[in-house]
Amino acid sequence: MNRRELLKAAAALSLGQTALSQTGFAQAPWPARNITMIVPFPAGGQADLAARPVAMALEKILGKPVIVDNRAGGGGGSVGNAAAARAEPDGYTLLMTLSSLAVLPEADRLFDRPVAYEVSQFAPVARVLADPTLLAVPASAPWKTLQDFVDDAKKRPGQIPYGSSGPYGTLHVAMEMFATSAGIKLLHVPFRGAGPALTALLSGTVQAMASAPGTLKQQVDDGKMRVLANWGAQRVASFPDLPTFRELGYRDVEFYIWAGLFAPSALPAPIMTRLREAMAQAAKSPEVIKTFETAGSPVAYLDAPEFAKFVAEDSARLIAAVKKIGKVE
């Protein structure tokens, strides 16, 4: 065998080994190692509430650890969302995020900033929770009703501070939607997530906050907070006496904070199928159901096709709201 033939044989062997390696990779069972579930907010908020019980259930179903990674930063969850968008589409990096997923790229465009990620980089896997936001104030606040709050805000424009999970995050958009409709000006104080914003509300650093029922219920039950209104179209079971903004005359004020699981869009179909099956099982887990119901935020499961349709419709409504609100800080 001459040198040319030797090189050709070596090249053929190398290609054959690569093909075998790729075939082996494609056929390798998933999961073969730990899975990371990125939550783009600190602990204590709606995304974290959704992630932890689901991660524990998935561990039992899939037989591998599912590690919750709270990767906060960037305002509204953009840092964690972008990290998940850049991840390898191998099923080992997932994202549990909120409805702000679609809003943040539009906010970047609104301010002529580089867009951190696009929604098209994600494949919806399953919706976990879907709750209307509630307007909460400290129990020590002087406002007993929403009208009390609005009347005071009109007397003191820009002086009542409210907390949010970051600029153009779910809590920011909800509050600005209300403020725009009520014709009031509030003082926006952004935090790295709903958890820190909730802590600030309890300490009196801020005086108002929009949040999901699940993160507020214990504080309200303990007499530390008061809720004034509900952004949903209907009243919620965990706060049956709380009126909606619609009932109070704000017909265009409606907002929901949902949490759902996403994967990189190029995830192989067999892994997506297995992941969807596992999420369907997790949503029926007695431990998951009990945890969410105790928090006042019942399971609101949707499988991938229905969730994708829901995301598209909800995102269109939220993007329209952001454009109407315009540039606010």
Side-chain angles (χ1 to χ4, degrees):
M1 182 180 289
N2 60 33
R3 184 173 182 274
R4 180 176 295 179
E5 290 173 337
L6 184 63
L7 289 172
K8 287 173 67 177
L13 178 61
S14 175
L15 287 171
Q17 289 175 332
T18 300
L20 285 171
S21 173
Q22 290 175 341
T23 302
F25 174 77
Q27 294 176 347
W30 178 88
R33 54 186 172 85
N34 295 357
I35 298 167
T36 297
M37 183 185 291
I38 293 176
V39 173
F41 302 96
Q46 184 79 342
D48 192 67
L49 170 68
R52 294 189 181 277
V54 168
M56 290 178 66
L58 288 178
E59 281 193 14
K60 295 178 182 178
I61 295 164
L62 297 173
K64 294 293 179 183
V66 179
I67 300 163
V68 174
D69 179 4
N70 292 91
R71 204 173 301 186
S78 63
V79 168
N81 291 344
R86 294 191 300 267
E88 287 294 323
D90 54 11
Y92 293 104
T93 303
L94 307 174
L95 176 70
M96 183 69 80
T97 195
L98 304 179
S99 47
S100 54
L101 179 74
V103 171
L104 298 175
E106 295 306 313
D108 284 340
R109 280 187 267 274
L110 187 65
F111 284 89
D112 296 319
R113 297 187 299 242
V115 178
Y117 64 88
E118 296 288 359
V119 178
S120 59
Q121 292 177 266
F122 297 100
V125 178
R127 191 182 74 179
V128 178
L129 301 175
D131 297 298
T133 43
L134 310 181
L135 176 58
V137 299
S140 59
W143 317 295
K144 306 300 183 185
T145 66
L146 183 68
Q147 192 60 51
D148 291 342
F149 184 90
V150 171
D151 290 345
D152 192 17
K154 286 183 176 179
K155 294 174 187 173
R156 301 187 292 135
Q159 293 185 45
I160 299 176
Y162 75 88
S164 83
S165 55
Y168 292 92
T170 51
L171 313 186
H172 181 206
V173 173
M175 286 297 288
E176 288 300 326
M177 181 187 290
F178 156 54
T180 299
S181 180
I184 59 176
K185 177 69 175 175
L186 303 171
L187 176 61
H188 178 215
V189 183
F191 293 86
R192 296 182 68 198
L198 191 67
T199 300
L201 186 64
L202 286 167
S203 69
T205 304
V206 296
Q207 290 294 301
M209 178 182 172
S211 189
T215 57
L216 295 175
K217 183 168 174 54
Q218 190 61 55
Q219 309 296 340
V220 174
D221 288 349
D222 290 345
K224 297 177 181 178
M225 290 185 187
R226 181 184 305 127
V227 284
L228 302 181
N230 161 18
W231 266 266
Q234 290 89 32
R235 296 191 181 196
V236 292
S238 53
F239 293 91
D241 298 326
L242 183 67
T244 68
F245 278 98
R246 284 184 165 193
E247 289 177 59
L248 297 171
Y250 300 91
R251 304 298 300 173
D252 57 345
V253 177
E254 184 178 349
F255 191 94
Y256 299 87
I257 181 168
W258 53 257
L261 189 70
F262 293 80
S265 59
L267 188 72
I271 297 178
M272 173 59 87
T273 298
R274 180 70 185 106
L275 186 56
R276 285 172 59 189
E277 291 171 349
M279 282 298 294
Q281 287 180 257
K284 296 174 184 176
S285 161
E287 293 83 4
V288 169
I289 292 170
K290 182 179 178 181
T291 299
F292 290 158
E293 287 184 348
T294 300
S297 188
V299 174
Y301 171 78
L302 286 179
D303 189 22
E306 294 79 14
F307 184 34
K309 182 174 182 290
F310 172 85
V311 169
E313 292 173 353
D314 189 66
S315 297
R317 187 170 60 83
L318 294 182
I319 289 168
V322 167
K323 290 178 178 177
K324 183 178 179 181
I325 292 166
K327 291 185 179 182
V328 293
E329 297 296 342

